[in-house]
Amino acid sequence: MNIQTDKIGRDRGLTARMILTGFLLALTYIALFGLLLITGIPILFVLIFGVGMVFFQYFFSDKLVLKTTGAKVVNDLEEPKLHQIIDRLSKKAEIPKPKSVANMDVEVPNAFATGRSPKHATIAVTKGLLHRLNDQELEAVLGHELAHVKNRDVAVMTWASLIVVIAGYLMQMMFWMSLFGGFGGGHRREGGGQIWAMIMVAYVGIIIIYFVSQLLTMALSRYREYAADREGAIITGTPMHLASALRKISGQIARIPEKDLRQVEHANAFFIIPALQGRMSIASMMSSHPSTEERVKRLLEMQSQYSISNPVH
Amino acid sequence: MSLLRSILRSYKKKPKTPSEILLLVNRFANESSIEAGEEAAILLSPNTDQFFNDLDLSAKNILREISNNTLMISRTTADDHGTQWIVLKSEDFGALVKGIDHFSTSIADKGLGSQMIAAVFKGTIENKDSYWICNYRTASYYPFVPIGKRERDFDREIILSGIFKHHRMPVEPTENWYSLWDSPF
């Protein structure tokens, strides 16, 4: 076991939240299949479709992502530094080195990991990331991406989102059926009204399941991000470098002005605009990533734990 | 459970009045990583009104209206930018915030609302001095954490803004996080 993991320990709260989210997601599966059983929608057909979609995503998402992002696989002669860092960090993380390393000719600093398992993984970084981050920050970001690989997040999120795929498909199917009279409207006079009402119940139920499962999947995704931050910081041993990289990537620091408040604020009306921005709960709940502030806060807390464990003499 | 908390939070009543916004800083000061200071100030842009001729006297007159023995005027001062400060002091942070609110309302009632720039609270985050600035014009908060004479601790500012948001305080967009060097407190 990693010595540093012993010092930092597991984030039990995060693990508990992930388990709870997983349990709630399982409940949405049960609710969906219950609904399909009651309303007589053929489950087998839905399952074949959903599993087919997920199967495709599971086995081909890495190639698809590389194609759509324009990422180009690079060897160790083209990007020796990247390969060297990934090789070293993979050993520290006790996982095989990802199958390929790629870069994207994009100035926006970013990185991602894809692939269903460590053996099939690809780690891609943009040129903007290589330009803007120093070596320690780059290492921290690569540690985070390797943590995603180690935690098999692509596989976890693919399977977790199966219900969203199925419910979304059913929702669309029922919408088109409602437009073209597939809800048995023609039979309403012969008692078809009851069937119609049942299908409407199923329709509303599926919409609810779709949104709830979407929220849960997004929550799970955010928890996996926190877990990857934590695991990545444990791999590199320097949470503060990931915090610093996140700030640079998010562009927050670049936006902080240099001017003094007194230079810009003269003769302002008292509370002309009550800017009640507050916390955008719905937007944050629908986001796959947690806020940079929260991630930086957690990483700096980790850093202070390291400092306590390793006091400077 | 944070998911449930965030769902419930979205149904909580949002603050509407300037006073409510100002008083939100009380919630924030209860954070474990934060320690509220004993002083807070109102930053003013003076005009020709008599109020600014003898700021000390004007502030004392407002203080007399408040029946709170723990609140006092620490000092009134002008700075190099031509702005003026009324610095209040109280060992009780709740009383200090109420005092700032009362002074703000009182100054605005005198028709000087447009001369008010910000309410500035001081505290520490992880034992580092920090300012929690409530911009009167936008009625939103932002952090300012100076290091030395002209450097800022962006890490801690971002953490502070995260805590502001966590407590549903309106937060100024990052591009408006103007510095406040050489504060008199």
Side-chain angles (χ1 to χ4, degrees):
Chain A
M1 189 187 274
N2 195 322
I3 298 164
Q4 285 158 335
T5 316
D6 290 341
K7 282 175 188 166
I8 288 299
R10 293 172 71 87
D11 185 343
R12 289 201 175 86
L14 184 62
T15 310
R17 285 197 290 277
M18 276 198 260
I19 292 170
L20 184 62
T21 311
F23 174 72
L24 292 173
L25 261 173
L27 285 186
T28 59
Y29 274 93
I30 294 169
L32 180 69
F33 290 119
L35 200 65
L36 297 183
L37 270 177
I38 292 165
T39 52
I41 295 171
I43 290 182
L44 194 64
F45 166 72
V46 173
L47 262 182
I48 290 170
F49 169 79
V51 173
M53 290 279 287
V54 167
F55 182 85
F56 178 80
Q57 209 178 326
Y58 188 69
F59 286 99
F60 301 104
S61 65
D62 50 343
K63 292 175 192 72
L64 202 68
V65 170
L66 290 180
K67 202 136 199 140
T68 50
T69 54
K72 181 181 157 242
V73 173
V74 285
N75 61 33
D76 53 358
L77 293 173
E78 291 168 295
E79 283 290 353
K81 189 166 82 178
L82 263 182
H83 274 271
Q84 206 178 25
I85 298 173
I86 291 172
D87 194 24
R88 184 162 44 79
L89 293 180
S90 301
K91 280 177 188 142
K92 277 176 105 174
E94 296 169 354
I95 54 167
K97 187 184 172 193
K99 189 181 75 180
S100 44
V101 175
N103 70 15
M104 289 169 278
D105 195 10
V106 177
E107 268 311 308
V108 177
N110 219 335
F112 67 80
T114 182
R116 63 187 183 276
S117 69
K119 273 187 186 170
H120 297 89
T122 297
I123 288 186
V125 298
T126 64
K127 286 195 174 162
L129 191 90
L130 296 173
H131 293 157
R132 282 184 216 181
L133 302 189
N134 63 35
D135 286 359
Q136 290 159 321
E137 290 162 345
L138 177 64
E139 188 173 311
V141 169
L142 293 171
H144 169 93
E145 296 307 332
L146 277 172
H148 275 308
V149 173
K150 188 179 179 182
N151 296 341
R152 294 172 183 262
D153 281 334
V154 170
V156 170
M157 291 315 298
T158 302
W159 286 107
S161 58
L162 172 62
I163 182 129
V164 182
V165 173
I166 294 176
Y169 168 72
L170 283 172
M171 213 166 72
Q172 280 185 39
M173 193 181 81
M174 294 183 96
F175 172 75
W176 289 113
M177 276 170 70
S178 70
L179 282 187
F180 297 108
F183 277 3
H187 305 289
R188 238 173 269 171
R189 265 180 246 139
E190 304 135 37
Q194 217 171 3
I195 298 167
W196 184 83
M198 200 161 228
I199 291 176
M200 277 315 288
V201 168
Y203 189 28
V204 173
I206 284 166
I207 290 173
I208 292 168
I209 288 168
Y210 174 78
F211 283 107
V212 170
S213 58
Q214 182 84 295
L215 281 178
L216 291 170
T217 311
M218 291 296 107
L220 187 63
S221 171
R222 291 194 297 276
Y223 297 150
R224 306 297 290 186
E225 281 302 320
Y226 284 133
D229 281 351
R230 195 172 178 82
E231 181 77 36
I234 288 170
I235 294 168
T236 60
T238 51
M240 62 179 288
H241 291 143
L242 182 57
S244 164
L246 284 174
R247 285 193 288 103
K248 280 190 185 173
I249 294 169
S250 71
Q252 269 182 311
I253 285 185
R255 292 199 300 269
I256 294 178
E258 285 181 12
K259 278 188 179 172
D260 192 284
L261 176 65
R262 290 155 291 188
Q263 289 174 292
V264 291
E265 292 282 352
H266 283 290
N268 286 318
F270 184 48
F271 295 122
I272 300 171
I273 315 154
L276 295 172
Q277 296 158 8
R279 183 189 168 102
M280 290 177 67
S281 295
I282 299 298
S284 60
M285 278 159 61
M286 295 302 284
S287 170
S288 64
H289 280 58
S291 72
T292 303
E293 293 100 321
E294 189 56 35
R295 291 172 76 182
V296 168
K297 184 186 166 195
R298 288 177 185 222
L299 287 163
L300 293 180
E301 278 168 6
M302 267 184 91
Q303 186 64 49
S304 62
Q305 287 179 50
Y306 268 126
S307 307
I308 292 164
S309 305
N310 306 300
V312 179
H313 295 290
Chain B
M1 182 191 159
S2 71
L3 181 66
L4 184 65
R5 256 206 312 270
S6 46
I7 292 169
L8 291 176
R9 226 183 254 137
S10 65
Y11 291 104
K12 275 188 190 169
K13 192 188 158 201
K14 286 186 175 177
K16 286 189 175 74
T17 67
S19 274
E20 279 178 315
I21 291 166
L22 210 46
L23 295 175
L24 284 175
V25 77
N26 271 323
R27 287 187 199 168
F28 170 78
N30 289 330
E31 270 288 324
S32 57
S33 54
I34 303 295
E35 195 168 335
E38 291 183 0
E39 289 187 322
I42 292 175
L43 179 61
L44 300 154
S45 171
N47 63 7
T48 53
D49 194 277
Q50 207 182 345
F51 182 88
F52 298 103
N53 290 345
D54 190 342
L55 188 65
D56 201 43
L57 179 69
S58 305
K60 278 177 184 157
N61 287 337
I62 297 175
L63 185 67
R64 261 186 228 114
E65 298 164 8
I66 305 171
S67 55
N68 188 326
N69 296 331
T70 64
L71 188 72
M72 55 191 265
I73 296 164
S74 177
R75 62 196 155 274
T76 56
T77 184
D79 61 25
D80 294 344
H81 292 269
T83 46
Q84 293 187 349
W85 297 74
I86 299 174
V87 185
L88 302 181
K89 187 173 183 177
S90 174
E91 284 178 10
D92 176 3
F93 187 70
L96 187 63
V97 176
K98 275 187 189 163
I100 290 285
D101 177 40
H102 185 93
F103 267 74
S104 305
T105 310
S106 187
I107 296 169
D109 287 348
K110 293 179 200 310
L112 300 172
S114 58
Q115 307 311 121
M116 300 171 70
I117 300 174
V120 185
F121 300 92
K122 190 180 181 181
T124 56
I125 172 168
E126 295 162 352
N127 300 320
K128 302 270 180 196
D129 281 346
S130 65
Y131 294 91
W132 318 329
I133 301 166
C134 180
N135 185 326
Y136 281 127
R137 185 175 65 84
T138 57
S140 42
Y141 287 86
Y142 72 91
F144 175 58
V145 185
I147 326 172
K149 289 217 160 182
R150 283 292 180 272
E151 266 185 72
R152 294 173 71 165
D153 188 337
F154 296 127
D155 278 336
R156 287 192 173 84
E157 288 185 7
I158 287 166
I159 292 170
L160 278 171
S161 76
I163 306 175
F164 285 148
K165 285 179 189 167
H166 178 74
H167 288 282
R168 297 186 57 75
M169 294 161 75
V171 177
E172 194 80 53
T174 320
E175 48 269 34
N176 294 338
W177 292 7
Y178 296 106
S179 54
L180 204 53
W181 300 113
D182 309 318
S183 154
F185 75 109

